[in-house]
Amino acid sequence: MAAELSLVAEGVVRLRVAPGLQLRPAQSWSVGHFSAKATAPEIVLSKGVARFNAKGVEVRCDLRTGEFSFLDSSGMEIVRLPGGAIRFEDGKPQLSLALGEREQIFGLGQTSGPLNKRGQTRELWNTDVLGHSRSIHPGLRSLYISIPFVISLRDGRAAGLFWDNAAKQTWEIGVPEGDRCRVNAELGEIDLYVFIGPWLPDILRGYSELTGRMPLPPRWALGYHQSRYSYGSRREVLALAREFRRRQIPCDVIHLDIHYMNDYRVFTFGKRFSKARAMLRELHKIGFRSMAIIDPGIKVDPQYTIYSEARKLRALVLDPSGKKPITGKVWPGESVFPDFTSEKVRRWWAEQQSAFQTEFEIDGFWNDMNEPAAFDGPGKTLDGRAIHRTDFGPKTHAEVHNIYASQMARASRAGALAARPRERPFLLSRDGFAGIQKQAAVWTGDNSSFWEHLGESIPMLLNLGLSGVPFCGADAGGFMEHCTGELLARWTQLAAFTPLFRNHCNDTARAQEPWVFGQETEDICRRYIQLRYQLLPYLYSLFEEAARTGTPLMRPMFWEFQNDADAARVGDQFMLGSALLVAPILQQGGRARSVYLPRGTWFNFWTGEEVKGGQFSLIIASLSTLPLFVRSGSIIPFQELQQHTGEKKIETITLHVWPGAQGRFNWYEDDGISNDFERGISLRRLIEYGEGARGGALVFGEPEGNFASPIKCWRVIVHSKARLKTARLEGQALAGQYVPELGLFIFDVPNLPDTFKVSWK
Ligand code: MIG
């Protein structure tokens, strides 16, 4: 065996092992420029142990037993590969990791089941699963998004491990042996990245530097999305859009599912959408954006130009003989599959998509069936022996199956940028591999309108965030089966606080737009969709943070409270940013639940009531109430209600302040749509809160960046049971008003261009 150890960035160590005497040139679908920076660590050899030291990280290799251990800067062992743990059997690489007694494992992309993956077996193989819970498929081990990256947490210290190998992998995490994690891959070499930690944000920063970060999305993508398989005609789509406006339920995006096409031919509109361009313009006029679904399968039809061009260009995946394109049955019937692993094919696809987008003025695309699915193929996908002519030379489908979707999304992104070079694309993908976050947001595929799936969406989305994919969401209301008013109300409450907020359902399921279940459900849905829109400035700043650092927006409790052992066990509630704790009701008929509030003081968002943390509390919640808590010391920006993100110019931002010893908010703004922020046309400002002897103060830091903010006024709302009387801007008195019934003190301050301080008492 040949091995190589290198330091690729601060706190990130790479270990490569190959069966022969030499490592092959590295090939990666996920890791970009980063490996170029690798430096060799210092080596000290003594008593048969080689110690590699690099900037506070130590790797020990016992040359007699072959044991590898990785130590963090405090000397704690965070990853151990016991002697013989790295092996190749029939060319298949295997690893075995020692698990600590209290170690928990998170990540791996999209998984069903509980938050902590210890005790589960997972197979990383992108798979189309109808109804993705273990109650429907008891042996379920694979889902749409496979990411061989895990985070381990023990006694408050975290570390990360990424195996950069796209072949099918199996992870047996603490099963059958409780103290081992066995991982094997069908093909390839061992190429591991160990993230030393111990802080979660550092691990995600390192991992996302390695595999890429989510580009900042356009602001409209953060609004509410409505979808259905399928809104079947131009008339239906326009009526739907008008219904949202008539009922005053905010909405930004309508998704067009497969029935818009001409007999499922990609890049076409069918007869029932004969005036597609006029329809999409009409939607724009009333403030809607559209997303069109794009499947990879191209209908075999010599009269169809996309098909004939693809043949001519030799742009298709080949069957195992290597002589002709492989075919499979998908929605269009007999279909062929573009080979997105090739640069030439991605370029061609990008051109097709770009022409289609420009002709019809479509705003974004969602890529579905991108496993790729083939109804008649083995395991509902292509034969593993099918041949791809990749950027790295010929490969079998088994070698590239897991990256097919990421490469399709890459083409799709290039296409969107070609069509609208000045705008940020919004793309959505069902499948993905490590790095998908660079190309597209993801949704979690075909869940069902089951209470169980409502609950599972929390750990599923949390683990996606921990796997480097911050922009994710589950179909609100559930995709398959029939939703009910109560389920929709609870699901909308939860999904309003997830990064992607889309209601979508199946063609055979009962409709589930917010109004179909009657007045009460409609009012509840409206209320939470409105709240989402009011929270947009908060969300937008969180998105910017995710784009810059890899930090997820939707965070497990332990992200914010890493040293709290109880927080590490909670998987049915979460933090949105560091200020909001969301604890949805997940049971039919449920009117109460236990909520874990970590140490400190919390405020009930609805009543303002103070709740002591460091305990589990029983929280009562009527159907219209989502248990929602605010951490003390938080500053949360709200904006005026809008029916869509571009409806009006926002000139006032309301800053709610919940008292506590201290707090801060990283304010971010830009034009919300263009790429100008890449040239510094954005505005960043730190807002800090501090408590004084008899009052509090906010310090607005110096704005950074060149964006001319439209905001004229900050309306400060201080939550205080004690009567507050005066507010001051620097030395000057401001007009403030205390509302005793609500326990709120309210005053306005102009948005000054330099640093300034306001205080109250
Ligand atoms: O086999 O395009 O997950 O969101 O509505 C079903 C029809 C194909 C699966 C997607 C779903 C979409 C549906 N598609």
Side-chain angles (χ1 to χ4, degrees):
M1 284 198 281
E4 181 187 270
L5 196 66
S6 56
L7 185 78
V8 290
E10 210 170 315
V12 188
V13 182
R14 181 179 185 192
L15 173 63
R16 294 182 64 200
V17 186
L21 290 173
Q22 241 181 342
L23 294 164
R24 278 178 276 174
Q27 296 177 344
S28 174
W29 294 100
S30 306
V31 173
H33 63 285
F34 194 46
S35 34
K37 284 191 295 191
T39 49
E42 246 173 65
I43 307 175
V44 183
L45 194 65
S46 95
K47 297 188 186 139
V49 178
R51 290 161 192 264
F52 304 83
N53 275 294
K55 297 196 184 147
V57 181
E58 182 166 310
V59 183
R60 285 188 200 157
C61 176
D62 189 322
L63 300 174
R64 294 156 305 190
T65 62
E67 173 170 292
F68 273 100
S69 58
F70 294 75
L71 286 76
D72 71 11
S73 55
S74 76
M76 184 172 115
E77 180 181 81
I78 49 151
V79 172
R80 183 157 62 92
L81 295 151
I86 300 181
R87 301 195 305 162
F88 291 85
E89 250 190 48
D90 302 329
K92 298 181 184 179
Q94 302 186 346
L95 316 166
S96 142
L97 300 155
L99 292 177
E101 202 185 317
R102 288 184 296 276
E103 187 167 358
Q104 294 174 285
I105 301 290
F106 306 97
L108 287 183
Q110 187 191 7
T111 57
S112 54
L115 185 60
N116 176 8
K117 296 294 143 203
R118 190 163 179 169
Q120 281 193 40
T121 298
R122 301 298 313 176
E123 232 168 60
L124 302 188
W125 184 253
N126 294 356
T127 302
D128 180 8
V129 186
L130 285 175
H132 52 39
S133 82
R134 291 193 296 175
S135 66
I136 300 178
H137 306 280
L140 185 72
R141 291 174 170 188
S142 305
L143 279 165
Y144 306 93
I145 304 159
S146 307
I147 302 180
F149 173 60
V150 290
I151 289 179
S152 118
L153 182 68
R154 48 180 144 176
D155 302 328
R157 297 180 82 85
L161 182 76
F162 170 49
W163 185 355
D164 189 7
N165 180 345
K168 183 192 274 185
Q169 295 186 14
T170 307
W171 289 64
E172 295 171 293
I173 311 163
V175 280
E177 301 140 286
D179 60 351
R180 281 278 181 284
C181 175
R182 293 197 183 276
V183 195
N184 62 62
E186 294 282 304
L187 295 154
E189 295 184 354
I190 287 181
D191 191 355
L192 296 178
Y193 293 85
V194 176
F195 301 84
I196 302 297
W199 294 109
L200 286 159
D202 293 339
I203 292 171
L204 260 283
R205 186 178 289 113
Y207 173 76
S208 62
E209 192 177 336
L210 193 70
T211 60
R213 298 195 172 115
M214 166 197 74
L216 191 63
R219 201 171 170 101
W220 57 263
L222 280 53
Y224 174 74
H225 300 231
Q226 183 65 51
S227 186
R228 155 119 229 190
Y229 171 20
S230 302
Y231 295 119
S233 66
R234 165 175 153 248
R235 197 184 293 261
E236 200 181 338
V237 170
L238 290 175
L240 175 83
R242 293 194 184 109
E243 199 61 20
F244 272 98
R245 296 296 179 252
R246 192 176 74 76
R247 292 178 187 266
Q248 293 282 288
I249 298 174
C251 184
D252 265 79
V253 193
I254 291 179
H255 289 238
L256 302 176
D257 208 326
I258 50 176
H259 292 107
Y260 77 77
M261 290 182 256
N262 171 14
D263 204 13
Y264 309 113
R265 287 172 182 82
V266 275
F267 305 127
T268 66
F269 273 98
K271 272 212 209 69
R272 298 212 290 161
F273 286 89
S274 57
K275 292 181 193 136
R277 180 173 177 145
M279 172 188 86
L280 297 178
R281 285 203 169 157
E282 190 57 36
L283 284 182
H284 283 161
K285 267 195 226 142
I286 54 173
F288 282 91
R289 309 270 172 170
S290 62
M291 294 282 289
I293 197 169
I294 303 281
D295 292 354
I298 297 173
K299 188 176 180 65
V300 172
D301 168 7
Q303 308 301 314
Y304 168 39
T305 29
I306 300 284
Y307 172 77
S308 52
E309 270 191 35
R311 291 292 309 249
K312 222 175 34 233
L313 259 169
R314 300 168 18 99
L316 301 167
V317 182
L318 301 176
D319 79 1
S321 76
K323 297 209 176 86
K324 55 180 198 315
I326 190 167
T327 58
K329 288 217 165 52
V330 216
W331 299 118
E334 195 77 342
S335 303
V336 288
F337 301 87
D339 191 352
F340 296 110
T341 66
S342 147
E343 161 78 44
K344 171 186 86 177
V345 178
R346 291 193 300 272
R347 227 181 304 127
W348 169 73
W349 186 263
E351 280 161 22
Q352 308 313 309
Q353 185 191 289
S354 158
F356 183 56
Q357 175 165 15
T358 306
E359 179 177 353
F360 293 101
E361 299 183 18
I362 300 159
D363 299 293
F365 296 93
W366 49 309
N367 290 344
D368 185 25
M369 310 295 279
N370 47 355
E371 294 73 33
F375 302 143
D376 53 348
K380 263 177 91 178
T381 189
L382 303 182
D383 187 322
R385 298 164 304 167
I387 292 168
H388 292 255
R389 288 164 286 187
T390 83
D391 298 344
F392 298 120
K395 303 243 183 247
T396 61
H397 184 66
E399 290 171 275
V400 296
H401 173 82
N402 281 340
I403 53 99
Y404 187 83
S406 310
Q407 299 309 305
M408 179 178 179
R410 187 173 167 194
S412 194
R413 186 162 197 90
L417 278 167
R420 297 183 180 174
R422 292 204 53 236
E423 281 186 26
R424 303 170 212 171
F426 176 62
L427 303 160
L428 190 57
S429 173
R430 183 165 79 172
D431 288 61
F433 186 69
I436 182 66
Q437 68 273 8
K438 278 184 294 204
Q439 318 298 351
V442 301
W443 90 99
T444 60
D446 298 345
N447 60 3
S448 306
S449 297
F450 293 160
W451 287 90
E452 179 202 0
H453 285 195
L454 170 68
E456 283 215 347
S457 72
I458 298 177
M460 193 175 278
L461 296 174
L462 289 175
N463 275 313
L464 275 166
L466 292 172
S467 308
V469 186
F471 203 174
C472 54
D475 286 346
F479 178 72
M480 294 164 69
E481 306 297 333
H482 308 293
C483 195
T484 64
E486 185 187 357
L487 182 59
L488 186 67
R490 291 304 192 191
W491 212 317
T492 304
Q493 290 171 354
L494 192 170
F497 291 84
T498 61
L500 174 71
F501 185 16
R502 182 180 82 151
N503 172 321
H504 177 51
C505 85
N506 201 359
D507 56 348
T508 53
R510 179 195 287 160
Q512 60 187 42
E513 290 82 16
W515 50 83
V516 302
F517 298 106
Q519 197 62 46
E520 187 185 18
T521 309
E522 178 181 340
D523 290 344
I524 294 171
C525 292
R526 181 188 295 102
R527 176 73 197 94
Y528 285 85
I529 297 171
Q530 287 176 337
L531 185 55
R532 166 85 172 198
Y533 277 77
Q534 291 168 306
L535 272 171
L536 277 171
Y538 179 66
L539 276 164
Y540 197 58
S541 292
L542 293 177
F543 265 95
E544 192 276 333
E545 184 187 13
R548 187 165 34 83
T549 68
T551 286
L553 298 86
M554 182 177 170
R555 306 173 185 165
M557 296 306 300
F558 64 76
W559 183 281
E560 290 291 326
F561 303 91
Q562 204 180 312
N563 283 312
D564 178 336
D566 284 320
R569 284 189 283 263
V570 177
D572 62 353
Q573 58 181 69
F574 60 94
M575 300 291 297
L576 179 66
S578 54
L580 285 173
L581 187 160
V582 184
I585 300 286
L586 305 170
Q587 309 278 313
Q588 179 169 18
R591 290 294 182 273
R593 62 162 286 171
S594 141
V595 178
Y596 179 66
L597 298 169
R599 204 148 18 138
T601 302
W602 296 83
F603 294 89
N604 182 315
F605 178 84
W606 306 107
T607 63
E609 184 198 345
E610 237 181 85
V611 196
K612 202 170 113 289
Q615 59 179 355
F616 289 84
S617 298
L618 183 71
I619 303 299
I620 311 293
S622 69
L623 183 58
S624 61
T625 309
L626 164 77
L628 184 61
F629 296 87
V630 189
R631 193 171 177 173
S632 68
S634 294
I635 304 165
I636 303 185
F638 285 72
Q639 74 178 34
E640 196 186 327
L641 187 60
Q642 304 200 80
Q643 293 307 308
H644 58 91
T645 53
E647 193 189 20
K648 45 194 163 194
K649 195 154 143 193
I650 300 289
E651 298 187 334
T652 300
I653 293 291
T654 301
L655 292 176
H656 280 261
V657 180
W658 281 267
Q662 54 184 9
R664 51 167 47 203
F665 187 75
N666 272 307
W667 171 263
Y668 177 80
E669 65 183 302
D670 59 23
D671 66 18
I673 182 101
S674 81
N675 288 317
D676 291 352
F677 74 98
E678 289 169 357
R679 298 183 286 115
I681 321 270
S682 62
L683 190 148
R684 197 185 294 286
R685 182 170 218 179
L686 181 65
I687 307 175
E688 284 178 290
Y689 162 76
E691 202 170 39
R694 284 185 295 135
L698 285 181
V699 176
F700 291 75
E702 194 78 38
E704 284 168 47
N706 296 321
F707 179 66
S709 174
I711 294 159
K712 298 210 168 93
C713 166
W714 302 99
R715 172 158 300 161
V716 179
I717 301 190
V718 183
H719 292 243
S720 169
K721 290 279 177 255
R723 171 178 287 272
L724 294 169
K725 295 200 189 76
T726 55
R728 292 181 168 276
L729 166 60
E730 304 294 346
Q732 267 173 331
L734 292 170
Q737 193 201 349
Y738 185 73
V739 188
E741 315 84 83
L742 302 173
L744 300 176
F745 184 57
I746 307 167
F747 60 92
D748 287 351
V749 222
N751 186 20
L752 302 176
D754 300 310
T755 177
F756 63 96
K757 177 173 172 175
V758 288
S759 56
W760 57 85
K761 60 182 184 199

